[in-house]
Amino acid sequence: MPNVSKIRGFVPVKHATGAPYNGQANVYFVPASDSTALFVGDPVVLAGDASVEGVATVTKASASGPALGVVVGVINTKLDPVSGKMTSGSISLDTPQYRPASTAQFILVADAPGLIYEVEAATGSNAAYTYLSADVGLNVGHTTVAGSTATGNSNAALDMSTKATTATLPWKILGAVIRPDNEVVSGTSQSVKLHVKANAATLGNGTGATGQ
């Protein structure tokens, strides 16, 4: 049956070695001067600064530039992950769903350069895209549609209109997600979920590889 579009950004699923992803992440900081909201599943890049504690700052990645990693969590503003203490007041059991614009906040980023992510294939402003088997091996950018403040999930998807062999594109398509709810018929299927790897990860070695 046809796939259902469920865009939710980039979801880490395993490492390139085949080992499962077990939730590993590192703490980064987003300053109040950053006016772009961040959602779980958004790709981010280093912003060239640090918090007063020395934690590196990040910002939302551009559609075609290299990525440090992907947001996998947002730390409540009343918690200080550096000291391990609450900064003030009480706190609910629910963590924030996303990092609002212009809010100083620590976030969790899955930044291992060998991570493989699941992400939906779309185009432009997340319009439907028809999967082609020849897409596998190519490099591609991603969409930068704002995430959902209701769910906290990213609305980033692969922008298949940018697919090419260009080595500087940020993501390499490794193949389709093999799962009963992900129909994969070349030239027919839409809203296909694909596995990708960062093509020029910030913490990796060297530049991106040319697409095949």
Side-chain angles (χ1 to χ4, degrees), residues 55-134:
V55 178
T57 57
V58 293
T59 190
K60 188 173 181 177
S62 69
S64 59
L68 166 70
V70 169
V71 179
V72 292
V74 179
I75 298 173
N76 193 287
T77 54
K78 293 182 179 180
L79 292 176
D80 183 348
V82 179
S83 68
K85 300 178 181 178
M86 287 182 59
T87 55
S88 64
S90 61
I91 185 173
S92 68
L93 294 178
D94 295 328
T95 56
Q97 294 178 317
Y98 68 102
R99 178 261 171 192
S102 306
T103 302
Q105 202 154 8
F106 291 98
I107 64 172
L108 297 171
V109 176
D111 57 5
L115 274 176
I116 293 174
Y117 304 88
E118 176 181 326
V119 60
E120 188 169 315
T123 62
S125 298
N126 290 354
Y129 172 78
T130 301
Y131 164 81
L132 298 172
S133 59

Side-chain angles (χ1 to χ4, degrees), residues 5 23 27 37 55 60 71 77-78 93 98 104 128-129 139 142 150 158 165 178 192 196 201 210:
S5 178
V27 176
V55 178
K60 188 173 181 177
V71 179
T77 54
K78 293 182 179 180
L93 294 178
Y98 68 102
Y129 172 78
N139 299 332
H142 62 268
L158 293 183
T165 59
I178 309 302
V192 173
V196 301
T210 300

